[in-house]
Amino acid sequence: MILLDGNKLSEIIRKEIAIRVIDFCGKDHRPPHLAAVLVGNNPASQAYVRNKIKACEEVGFASTLIKKPESISQSELLNLIDSINEDPLIDGYIVQLPVPRHIDEVEINLRIDPNKDVDGFHPNNFGRMALGLSSFLPATPMGIMMMLDRYQIPTDGKHCVVLGRSNIVGTPITLLMSKKSKPGNATVTIAHSRTQNLSQITRSADIIIAALGIPYFVKADMVSDGVCIIDVGINRIDDANSSKGYRLVGDVDFENVKHKCSAISPVPGGVGPMTITALLENTWKAFREKK
Ligand code: GUN
């Protein structure tokens, strides 16, 4: 069984990015600059954004964290987005999701300059991705594609079952895995909460991409021998033995499933770091293709 080690792979790719920064920025060019907007006090979001800022430092990017209170209004947030769009020193930025309930996420995404949309959530980028045109790919699916590519997981003609149909992971990874490319060329089934006979479908999978957000959902009897599993879940479950009071687990019952796998990504240390590495790649792209 191959452990798809997102930490190790990220370290390699981040070193490559750091070298690009040194080579290009050397003496007389400022480094790429990523900004992150964080609204409210969601502990998981705070941790994700902290890791994104830390990763920027690691590769020599500049970064700015813009924290706003939970009470920020829609118009205040839109004004902030307008000002970031116009800031020539910010190459790319993200608005960390989820945003508070009173904020209209769609309107926020529509306001982000597509040329700075390093999350790939703007319809321009999402549509371009669907058409196979150059775009910013959403970071998590992009990180998964990078992982499959670098570990040389065969995907051509394989049956890939995606669990979950979110805009951030399930839907875009379905498009990417089915497109005519390498990795890609897979026959993709997208399964969701209304899917019937799910175990029958997952047992026919060569590749399972689990992105439902339900701890330990994928059990050993749901998969066939030799399957490759990408676990996108990052679920916090109570753990009195941990100093934090919780631990992170995936959507896959890793300990019981791993014996059946040809390859599997762990949680933590799998897709999570790859998502951040993909965000760095997108920021580099925004910086180099600046209009
Ligand atoms: N929340 C969970 N995943 C993501 C992501 O990839 N980007 C943003 N902005 N928020 C998220």
Side-chain angles (χ1 to χ4, degrees):
M1 185 270 287
I2 300 167
L3 188 74
L4 302 170
D5 187 333
N7 282 330
K8 210 189 270 178
L9 186 51
S10 284
E11 200 182 314
I12 294 167
I13 299 172
R14 290 182 199 183
K15 276 190 185 142
E16 294 168 6
I17 298 172
I19 290 169
R20 271 184 252 155
V21 174
I22 292 166
D23 285 351
F24 184 81
C25 303
K27 305 166 218 72
D28 44 29
H29 207 298
R30 69 165 179 82
H33 185 173
L34 174 75
V37 177
L38 177 61
V39 180
N41 303 309
N42 179 321
S45 292
Q46 286 172 331
Y48 295 147
V49 169
R50 220 177 17 248
N51 287 337
K52 290 172 184 178
I53 297 291
K54 209 169 102 204
C56 284
E57 286 162 17
E58 211 180 299
V59 297
F61 287 4
S63 60
T64 302
L65 171 56
I66 304 165
K67 279 188 181 173
K68 292 290 169 190
E70 184 95 15
S71 58
I72 192 170
S73 69
Q74 180 79 7
S75 62
E76 284 169 324
L77 191 51
L78 289 171
N79 287 340
L80 172 64
I81 287 172
D82 288 341
S83 71
I84 305 175
N85 284 342
E86 279 154 29
D87 187 336
L89 297 179
I90 295 177
D91 302 297
Y93 69 100
I94 63 160
V95 177
Q96 186 66 29
L97 301 178
V99 284
R101 279 176 165 275
H102 67 278
I103 299 290
D104 178 348
E105 188 185 306
V106 173
E107 193 183 15
I108 298 299
N109 279 336
L110 281 167
R111 195 68 156 251
I112 295 174
D113 177 349
N115 294 313
K116 294 190 174 189
D117 171 36
V118 286
D119 254 333
F121 293 167
H122 189 286
N124 274 24
N125 282 312
F126 208 92
R128 290 181 66 90
M129 170 186 64
L131 294 169
L133 302 172
S134 168
S135 66
F136 293 113
L137 300 180
T140 301
M142 180 173 167
I144 294 169
M145 297 305 275
M146 289 160 71
M147 186 176 243
L148 294 171
D149 183 37
R150 297 270 183 143
Y151 273 97
Q152 299 185 1
I153 302 295
T155 61
D156 202 295
K158 301 293 181 189
H159 183 205
C160 173
V161 174
V162 175
L163 303 177
R165 56 180 161 184
S166 72
N167 291 339
I168 297 182
V169 187
T171 300
I173 196 67
T174 298
L175 289 167
L176 294 175
M177 286 299 283
S178 62
K179 85 183 166 120
K180 207 170 189 173
S181 64
K182 189 172 179 295
N185 277 325
T187 304
V188 186
T189 301
I190 183 161
H192 46 75
S193 51
R194 301 291 174 92
T195 298
Q196 295 178 359
N197 304 320
L198 181 63
S199 292
Q200 198 179 320
I201 295 168
T202 52
R203 276 196 292 268
S204 76
D206 301 300
I207 301 166
I208 295 173
I209 300 176
L212 324 93
I214 303 176
Y216 305 127
F217 181 86
V218 178
K219 301 276 194 282
D221 64 359
M222 292 172 67
V223 309
S224 289
D225 284 332
V227 68
C228 167
I229 301 187
I230 307 290
D231 191 348
V232 186
I234 304 180
N235 309 293
R236 287 183 175 209
I237 61 166
D238 292 343
D239 183 354
N241 294 323
S242 158
S243 57
K244 292 177 177 164
Y246 69 88
R247 71 194 152 92
L248 297 179
V249 302
D251 289 351
V252 179
D253 183 6
F254 183 90
E255 282 309 316
N256 293 311
V257 171
K258 66 180 181 189
H259 314 285
K260 299 183 87 169
C261 297
S262 56
I264 183 168
S265 69
V267 177
V271 173
M274 292 306 296
T275 295
I276 298 180
T277 302
L279 181 67
L280 296 174
E281 283 287 13
N282 276 344
T283 305
W284 175 259
K285 180 178 162 77
F287 169 72
R288 292 293 281 126
E289 295 176 1
K290 196 161 183 138
K291 303 221 172 52

